[in-house]
Amino acid sequence: MTEDVAPADPERLVHDALSVQEKQRLLAYESSEQPLCRHTSARHARHGASPEVTVEEYDVAVKTALSTSSNARQEADDALALLLAVDGRASRLSASELAVLHGLPRLRALLETSRALRFEDPQAMLRFAKLARFTADRLRMRDFGRQPVADLRALAWAELANAYRVCNELGRADHAMNRSVYWCQRGSQTGLLLARVADLLSDLLCYQRRFPEGRELLALAYRVHAEMENRHRAGRVVIKLAHLTMAEGDHRKALVLMRQGFDLLDPNQEPQLVVQTLWSMVWLVAQLGRFRSARLLLWRGRILFAGIVEPHRLRWLEGTIHAGLADFSRAEAAFQQARAGFAENGQVYPAALVGLDLAALWARQGRVKAVFALAEEMIVTFRALRIAREAVAALLILKRACQNGGQILELIEITVDLLRSLERQPARPSSYSGSMPPAPSLSS
């Protein structure tokens, strides 16, 4: 006698979870017009219903269930596509609006709200990313399909990893990214999803100063967008690569990459990114010592920069240009205003870097006492915050050079390089706020 089919098997057939042998056994039952199984017959008998099910009734039930499952799967695929359609704009819903949402709409709203809070409130960004991850993990594969749910979980975990990175919780960021990769391997492995995860993972690796690995992942993301002929997204990846190259200290190559990425951007999609990229290029021109060109570019773009770049960052760049052109009085005024602006916003490292630019300016004028006083002030600040021990040691040496005579400018340059290196390291204070130039508002 043919073996009975378990009660759960018809439902598993609807969701395409049976083996080939099990499907053949069920189809054999259907073709012989037998009841699906004795278990089913007994259940109907208990409720006083006929145990017989006609082929037509069964076909209608299966088609209805399959149609419902297909619609849910398409809904999940559409939600993923919308979340991957990163164009620099992100919606933000209130708590009351989020409370009435469930399932896929709730997941999408949480992720978009998390992205929108990236610069304004990183801790809130993290809270919404955690809620999004929880929502994604509660999606049932029987409702939406295995691969769509795996894809959405991969994206939610990657966004959570990025939020942890922004909040300087690198151990948790690593764990979350590992979970994202786990779900990527079990999903559809669609190009856009892999490019997004690679993009966010490259941010984490670069934050950890693992530049070669970050470069490889950006190359993967670029290939995906280039093959899809999406120039704008490919341009965004190239700009990220330019910022990675800047972090490595190669300003000349970074400027070339920045220009290549800029040429690929669509101003209608992300006008703010276009302006930020222009700003980064002006900053790089100044860092390469081309001060007259930088001054002209800054003057031409000042109206554009005013609404995007912080005023004290603008003043810092102006001070750098004035110092390069030996206009000491204007440079000093710009550096003083920039330093005060960073300090007021609690941006310790940028304020210190501006202070060192000011110290170098004074050293060029022979104002050794002013350099000594500034170094002493910075030492007090760093010690109070318990950060940058190496920089404190360098500043102590600078103080001694001011007292006993020494290569003050060289020591200032060493301290600047040290501070920039410390600033890029993962172990930053939780109150850290980035330094010049600001990274573009990319998807991450």
Side-chain angles (χ1 to χ4, degrees):
M1 181 178 291
T2 306
E3 183 182 350
D4 276 338
V5 181
D9 284 348
E11 184 177 342
R12 291 169 59 211
L13 174 63
V14 169
H15 295 286
D16 198 24
L18 294 182
S19 66
V20 175
Q21 293 80 5
E22 289 173 321
K23 290 178 181 177
Q24 290 174 346
R25 194 160 66 244
L26 277 174
L27 291 174
Y29 275 112
E30 180 186 338
S31 62
S32 62
E33 297 187 10
Q34 295 182 21
L36 283 176
C37 60
R38 288 197 297 271
H39 303 288
T40 308
S41 301
R43 187 170 69 249
H44 279 283
R46 285 197 300 270
H47 292 281
S50 172
E52 297 294 335
V53 179
T54 66
V55 174
E56 290 77 9
E57 290 173 330
Y58 178 70
D59 283 345
V60 170
V62 169
K63 288 177 181 177
T64 301
L66 288 174
S67 175
T68 302
S69 177
S70 177
N71 291 339
R73 187 187 186 98
Q74 186 61 49
E75 185 182 357
D77 288 339
D78 291 344
L80 179 67
L82 288 169
L83 287 168
L84 291 174
V86 179
D87 58 1
R89 295 184 293 271
S91 61
R92 185 189 310 182
L93 299 182
S94 65
S96 58
E97 291 172 319
L98 285 169
V100 299
L101 297 177
H102 302 280
L104 293 175
R106 179 177 175 82
L107 174 61
R108 180 184 169 193
L110 287 169
L111 284 176
E112 290 183 345
T113 302
S114 176
R115 291 173 181 173
L117 294 167
R118 161 71 174 86
F119 296 101
E120 178 183 331
D121 190 343
Q123 289 298 324
M125 173 197 186
L126 177 57
R127 288 194 296 272
F128 279 103
K130 287 179 179 179
L131 290 171
R133 192 279 304 167
F134 180 76
T135 302
D137 280 351
R138 292 188 68 185
L139 295 176
R140 298 190 303 179
M141 292 184 176
R142 61 181 292 182
D143 292 335
F144 301 104
R146 292 181 180 274
Q147 288 189 346
V149 170
D151 288 345
L152 289 167
R153 289 177 181 175
L155 180 61
W157 276 103
E159 298 285 353
L160 177 59
N162 188 53
Y164 276 131
R165 176 191 66 83
V166 171
C167 293
N168 199 39
E169 298 185 35
L170 298 189
R172 292 179 176 177
D174 274 331
H175 170 74
M177 192 57 76
N178 286 335
R179 296 298 299 167
S180 176
V181 172
Y182 170 88
W183 285 114
C184 276
Q185 293 170 341
R186 286 153 180 77
S188 65
Q189 299 187 12
T190 177
L192 277 179
L193 175 61
L194 293 179
R196 174 64 177 165
V197 173
D199 195 337
L200 295 178
L201 179 53
S202 74
D203 287 340
L204 178 59
L205 293 173
C206 294
Y207 195 86
Q208 298 168 335
R209 300 190 64 76
R210 295 162 63 182
F211 296 127
E213 296 162 274
R215 193 182 301 278
E216 289 179 9
L217 288 168
L218 287 176
L220 184 154
Y222 176 82
R223 284 197 299 272
V224 169
H225 297 313
E227 288 172 1
M228 298 182 69
E229 297 184 353
N230 191 320
R231 288 171 53 86
H232 180 76
R233 289 188 181 181
R236 298 171 92 254
V237 174
V238 175
I239 291 168
K240 275 200 169 186
L241 183 58
H243 280 274
L244 182 153
T245 306
M246 269 199 292
E248 291 179 302
D250 191 344
H251 292 158
R252 190 174 302 279
K253 184 177 179 181
L255 181 59
V256 173
L257 289 169
M258 196 75 69
R259 176 57 192 267
Q260 291 174 352
F262 178 81
D263 289 341
L264 293 171
L265 294 179
D266 180 357
N268 295 322
Q269 289 194 42
E270 289 183 87
Q272 182 171 334
L273 176 59
V274 172
V275 175
Q276 288 172 324
T277 305
L278 282 171
W279 161 256
S280 296
M281 286 194 288
V282 176
W283 184 85
L284 284 168
V285 170
Q287 294 302 302
L288 291 170
R290 294 155 56 182
F291 299 111
R292 295 188 185 279
S293 297
R295 182 175 63 179
L296 179 61
L297 292 170
L298 182 61
W299 179 77
R300 287 180 174 176
R302 192 173 185 86
I303 296 177
L304 291 174
F305 299 147
I308 304 297
V309 182
E310 296 167 303
H312 41 280
R313 292 189 185 277
L314 280 169
R315 292 297 284 155
W316 188 5
L317 180 55
E318 288 175 345
T320 302
I321 293 171
H322 290 315
L325 296 174
D327 190 344
F328 296 144
S329 61
R330 289 185 178 181
E332 180 175 349
F335 285 147
Q336 293 280 24
Q337 292 175 13
R339 184 167 176 251
F342 283 121
E344 186 178 338
N345 290 335
Q347 296 167 286
V348 180
Y349 279 101
L353 289 168
V354 179
L356 289 170
D357 284 346
L358 183 59
L361 184 71
W362 287 338
R364 289 169 63 186
Q365 301 174 70
R367 297 166 62 181
V368 178
K369 289 184 179 180
V371 175
F372 178 89
L374 182 58
E376 197 167 46
E377 178 186 337
M378 293 170 64
I379 290 170
V380 171
T381 301
F382 284 145
R383 281 178 170 170
L385 294 173
R386 297 182 180 180
I387 58 174
R389 295 181 186 176
E390 300 91 337
V392 170
L395 288 167
L396 288 170
I397 296 172
L398 176 60
K399 275 182 58 180
R400 191 174 303 162
C402 291
Q403 289 175 317
N404 304 327
Q407 301 297 323
I408 295 177
L409 276 173
E410 290 182 11
L411 287 171
I412 290 173
E413 290 176 5
I414 291 171
T415 308
V416 167
D417 290 340
L418 181 59
L419 271 177
R420 289 195 183 280
S421 176
L422 290 172
E423 181 194 23
R424 290 191 293 261
Q425 289 179 7
R428 307 181 194 178
S430 58
S431 60
Y432 171 79
S433 182
S435 80
M436 182 179 185
S441 296
L442 300 178
S443 57
S444 53

